[in-house]
Amino acid sequence: MLTWSDVTPKPLWLNRRQMIASAGAVAFASPVLAKIDAAKSPLSTTDTPNSFEEITTYNNFYEFGTGKEDPAANASALTTDPWSIEIGGMVDKPGTYDLADILKGQPLEERIYRFRCVEAWSMVVPWIGFQLSGLMNRVGVQPSAKYVAFETLVRPEEMPGQNSPLLDWPYREGLRLDEAMHPLTILATGLYGEVMPKQNGAPIRLVVPWKYGFKSIKSVVKISLTDAMPQTTWNMLQSSEYGFYSNVNPTVDHPRWSQASERRVGAGLFAGRQDTLMFNGYQDQVASLYAGQDLSKDF
Ligand SMILES: Nc1nc2c(c(=O)[nH]1)N[C@H]1C(S)=C(S)[C@@H](COP(=O)(O)O)O[C@H]1N2
Ligand SMILES: [Mo]
């Protein structure tokens, strides 16, 4: 059976700006950096991307600790090959799919997305990924399915944060089916043209750019189609602060802080804060999904 490393594209190209951006972090790993050759999606933002360094050293990945530097320091121990995802529930073709098999036939694209954490910081990330809808269509979503549930790997030997009951492991997330099928929703397998760094959720993680960052679950090993709204990690921990929808919404504050503005990571000490946009700026594409819903209740 093919493994992820067999299908990882070999060195292709590298432009000078990216070489400078990523040199400190990865250049030592190989003389020529492996690049994934993926066309840029028109769904990309024109905002300037954060640097590779910023994206890979300021992370939330509680399986590796709660500090922003912990994932970069601790994630190297994670084994990401072999990797498979168990896909089940209300699908025609349930099974445990090897990562290479999951990627088969799914067109990889570069998607430069704004990314907004619930902690009121933001980044711009050039992801490499494919639409979740492509995988859903391949496994055959049954008419009874209304939601998609996701789980992260549980492997405390390699994920030291899982040795404490800080969160109820596995990390869990969920989307309504129409959100999961939306063209903006991707499974990402890389960033900056590189195979996904471990601290960012290698080898495959969800990215939902109009929702707070915690919806974008990392290192996914299980996907289930259900007819009931799935349990989600942050909602289970504190339902008054974290709802199921978690759409970026500057008019609905977190009970302990404002969501009206955000700090762009790396923008510099004097850059100031910027206004947070409804649906993180993806209003034109996604507002219709929530027509008729009271977003102060469905937060
Ligand atoms: N499994 C798992 N996924 C996770 C998290 C986590 O702790 N564990 N943190 C979430 C949060 S709060 C954010 S902001 C993003 C951060 O993604 P990044 O580190 O790639 O920027 O990952 C999300 N996905
Ligand atoms: Mo977050």
Side-chain angles (χ1 to χ4, degrees):
M1 187 186 281
L2 278 181
T3 66
W4 172 230
S5 49
D6 294 321
V7 297
T8 303
K10 292 299 168 229
L12 292 170
W13 51 266
L14 192 63
N15 75 38
R16 195 175 144 69
R17 190 173 60 83
Q18 286 171 326
M19 184 163 341
I20 292 165
S22 59
V26 293
F28 60 84
S30 61
V32 181
L33 297 177
K35 302 300 288 188
I36 299 167
D37 191 15
K40 181 164 140 188
S41 165
L43 293 169
S44 294
T45 175
T46 54
D47 288 14
T48 305
N50 279 83
S51 69
F52 184 90
E53 169 85 9
E54 286 158 355
I55 294 167
T56 57
T57 58
Y58 190 89
N59 299 101
N60 274 337
F61 199 169
Y62 278 27
E63 285 84 341
F64 295 103
T66 55
K68 293 286 179 280
E69 284 106 40
D70 290 343
N74 299 329
S76 60
L78 180 67
T79 307
T80 56
D81 182 10
W83 193 273
S84 58
I85 302 182
E86 183 191 334
I87 306 181
M90 296 164 170
V91 294
D92 295 333
K93 292 177 229 157
T96 299
Y97 292 80
D98 187 77
L99 182 60
D101 188 17
I102 284 170
L103 293 171
K104 218 177 281 166
Q106 305 298 342
L108 284 184
E109 284 185 332
E110 180 175 61
R111 297 279 184 108
I112 307 175
Y113 281 166
R114 285 183 294 276
F115 191 86
R116 170 63 156 78
C117 177
V118 76
E119 298 163 328
W121 51 265
S122 65
M123 289 202 203
V124 177
V125 184
W127 303 109
I128 301 279
F130 61 93
Q131 288 181 197
L132 176 62
S133 63
L135 180 61
M136 295 293 93
N137 290 335
R138 194 176 141 204
V139 297
V141 176
Q142 297 182 342
S144 51
K146 295 190 178 72
Y147 296 91
V148 188
F150 303 85
E151 290 183 12
T152 293
L153 177 72
V154 178
R155 195 183 285 158
E157 320 86 82
E158 294 183 357
M159 297 174 133
Q162 290 181 336
N163 292 305
S164 73
L166 179 69
L167 299 178
D168 185 0
W169 315 110
Y171 193 100
R172 276 162 260 213
E173 259 310 334
L175 296 172
R176 211 170 56 189
L177 187 59
D178 58 344
E179 299 174 325
M181 298 303 281
H182 193 280
L184 284 171
T185 303
I186 59 170
L187 286 171
T189 56
L191 60 82
Y192 260 115
E194 302 281 342
V195 170
M196 188 66 76
K198 291 181 180 177
Q199 57 268 43
N200 293 90
I204 185 164
R205 58 90 58 89
L206 185 70
V207 180
V208 193
W210 72 94
K211 292 177 180 278
Y212 291 119
F214 64 85
K215 298 295 280 186
S216 292
I217 182 172
K218 296 176 168 182
S219 304
V220 172
V221 292
K222 190 170 177 188
I223 301 178
S224 317
L225 279 287
T226 66
D227 59 0
M229 188 181 274
Q231 289 207 300
T232 61
T233 289
W234 291 96
N235 183 254
M236 288 159 69
L237 186 76
Q238 192 55 273
S239 60
S240 61
E241 300 189 355
Y242 308 103
F244 175 80
Y245 287 96
S246 304
N247 291 318
V248 175
N249 189 339
T251 72
V252 176
D253 287 339
H254 185 281
R256 292 183 281 130
W257 60 82
S258 166
Q259 294 291 22
S261 70
E262 66 200 54
R263 171 181 67 88
R264 182 62 54 87
V265 169
L269 270 182
F270 305 104
R273 300 178 72 83
Q274 60 190 76
D275 290 345
T276 288
L277 301 171
M278 187 66 204
F279 297 115
N280 201 26
Y282 297 95
Q283 175 148 24
D284 290 351
Q285 292 103 307
V286 302
S288 62
L289 298 181
Y290 309 102
Q293 281 183 257
D294 177 351
L295 297 181
S296 63
K297 273 202 264 137
D298 293 342
F299 62 88

